[in-house]
Amino acid sequence: MARWQPNASERLVVAALELFEERGYERTTVIEIAERAGLTKSTFFRHFHDKREVLFGGGAMAGVLADGIAAAPAGATPFEAVAHALDAAGREAFTSARREFGARRRAVIAGNPELQEREALKGLGLTASMTDALKQRGVPELTSCVAAELGALALKIAYERWSNPTGSGDFGDVARRALSDVLAAGGLG
Amino acid sequence: MARWQPNASERLVVAALELFEERGYERTTVIEIAERAGLTKSTFFRHFHDKREVLFGGGAMAGVLADGIAAAPAGATPFEAVAHALDAAGREAFTSARREFGARRRAVIAGNPELQEREALKGLGLTASMTDALKQRGVPELTSCVAAELGALALKIAYERWSNPTGSGDFGDVARRALSDVLAAGGLG
């Protein structure tokens, strides 16, 4: 299997994760992250707004989910369109090569309240992005909100299951099962 | 009608809101808020962790919602238990005497990204509190999550409708209608 060759942005993310694991999030500086990645501080800031942002992909996921919803077939229900978004997340971001990275990332976030706060806010941004994408398909506003909220919940559960050290499988499959579990739990199954 | 006599905590909230309206959130200090309320800085910090917290009730709402869910009849469905929580919010916090205050508070928050961020995180705390309260009733974990997420969405919509300058009515009624709208929008109506 070919070794995964990360680009500048991904090198920064990998370097940051290693340093957060080795010395803790608080004791790591942006300069150290850039040096570990063999890049400069200004390159770091071209990719990420601040140190808190480096594990959160700089907003790319919101676009992946919105594009996934936009690309769903014309006749798809709101929840089917959300399932397309979750598939897109698996193809574009949560590939099998990144699963072990996902588990390590999750452990680092779990250990730091500041990162947990950023993750929570990022989650709200993903919900807003899916809500907007559904509205652009002509889905009524409140239905868009509900489908996006439950889609975001399914995404969160799927990420936890997929990145779990004992987990396995393709993210799209895990996510579709999580969405179906969420809908069933709400009486929509 | 008797003039509403706020206690120390409420005097601080009213003073803060006035100052935020007059000179902006950024240009207001904790000392100024305490002085306007006729209290000391140390009294402020007995009630609120920081300036950002003063418009968010210091965590009281999470307890009100959890208690409302705990007090729902034994046979209540998860969504009925959530409706009890929304009623409790109306009785304990969003009384008709506070409706005009709610509209002003909402305008101040809408004008400041830092306050919007705090509001978003507070909303997640309310969801977590309702989820835990539902689990303590024996509701399965995922159903608790879904009911709490949709309850939090209904609470947000209800607060927007109720505190709107052109709005009217009892918060409990507005909130029950919002919850029923949310469930119908999700195909649960």
Side-chain angles (χ1 to χ4, degrees):
Chain A
M1 203 170 75
R3 190 157 175 279
W4 180 47
Q5 293 289 349
N7 62 19
S9 165
E10 284 170 340
R11 273 158 61 193
L12 288 164
V13 175
V14 169
L17 185 66
E18 285 174 7
L19 287 164
F20 296 166
E21 288 174 330
E22 287 165 22
R23 63 186 74 166
Y25 170 78
E26 294 295 349
R27 281 186 299 282
T28 300
T29 68
V30 165
I31 292 175
E32 289 166 340
I33 295 169
E35 277 173 3
R36 171 77 60 109
L39 298 165
T40 64
K41 187 175 146 187
S42 66
T43 303
F44 180 95
F45 286 116
R46 266 205 301 283
H47 288 277
F48 303 105
H49 184 66
D50 56 26
K51 185 178 75 168
R52 279 216 295 177
E53 190 61 25
V54 68
L55 293 185
F56 298 100
M61 180 55 74
V64 167
L65 294 173
D67 291 349
I69 286 174
T77 68
F79 288 121
E80 285 164 0
V82 166
H84 274 263
L86 300 179
D87 281 339
R91 277 194 313 276
E92 305 287 331
F94 305 140
T95 57
S96 57
R98 294 194 195 162
R99 204 167 74 81
E100 186 249 342
F101 173 85
R104 289 167 55 200
R105 172 183 175 276
R106 205 154 73 86
V108 166
I109 293 172
N112 185 279
E114 208 181 308
L115 291 175
Q116 286 169 34
E117 186 170 295
R118 178 62 63 103
E119 183 170 53
L121 290 169
K122 277 280 161 179
L124 294 173
L126 300 183
T127 304
S129 173
M130 287 193 281
T131 303
D132 286 345
L134 287 164
K135 286 198 281 188
Q136 276 170 33
R137 289 176 67 87
V139 177
E141 170 143 14
L142 199 47
T143 303
S144 298
C145 288
V146 171
E149 289 277 358
L150 298 184
L153 180 57
L155 181 68
K156 181 167 159 267
I157 291 167
Y159 188 76
E160 282 167 14
R161 292 179 182 172
W162 172 78
S163 67
N164 191 296
T166 65
S168 71
D170 173 71
F171 183 83
D173 293 342
V174 175
R176 278 182 178 265
R177 181 177 299 267
L179 182 60
S180 133
D181 289 349
V182 163
L183 297 183
L188 285 152
Chain B
M1 202 173 72
R3 188 155 175 281
W4 181 48
Q5 293 289 348
N7 62 19
S9 166
E10 285 169 339
R11 273 157 62 193
L12 288 163
V13 175
V14 169
L17 185 66
E18 284 174 8
L19 287 163
F20 295 164
E21 288 174 332
E22 287 165 23
R23 64 185 73 167
Y25 170 78
E26 294 295 348
R27 281 185 298 282
T28 300
T29 67
V30 164
I31 292 177
E32 289 166 339
I33 295 169
E35 276 173 3
R36 172 75 62 105
L39 297 165
T40 63
K41 187 176 146 188
S42 66
T43 303
F44 180 95
F45 286 116
R46 265 205 302 281
H47 289 277
F48 303 105
H49 183 69
D50 55 25
K51 186 178 75 167
R52 280 216 292 177
E53 189 61 26
V54 67
L55 294 185
F56 297 100
M61 179 56 74
V64 167
L65 294 173
D67 291 350
I69 284 173
T77 66
F79 288 121
E80 284 166 359
V82 165
H84 273 263
L86 301 179
D87 281 339
R91 278 195 314 276
E92 306 287 332
F94 304 139
T95 58
S96 57
R98 293 194 196 161
R99 203 168 74 80
E100 186 250 342
F101 173 85
R104 288 167 54 202
R105 173 183 174 278
R106 204 155 73 86
V108 166
I109 293 171
N112 184 279
E114 206 180 310
L115 291 175
Q116 286 170 35
E117 184 170 297
R118 178 62 63 104
E119 183 171 53
L121 290 169
K122 278 279 160 180
L124 294 173
L126 300 183
T127 304
S129 173
M130 288 194 280
T131 302
D132 287 345
L134 287 164
K135 285 198 283 189
Q136 276 171 33
R137 290 177 66 88
V139 176
E141 170 141 13
L142 198 48
T143 305
S144 298
C145 287
V146 171
E149 289 277 355
L150 297 184
L153 180 59
L155 180 68
K156 181 167 159 268
I157 291 168
Y159 188 77
E160 281 168 13
R161 291 180 182 172
W162 172 77
S163 66
N164 192 297
T166 64
S168 70
D170 172 71
F171 183 83
D173 292 341
V174 175
R176 278 181 178 266
R177 180 176 301 268
L179 182 60
S180 134
D181 290 348
V182 163
L183 297 183
L188 286 152

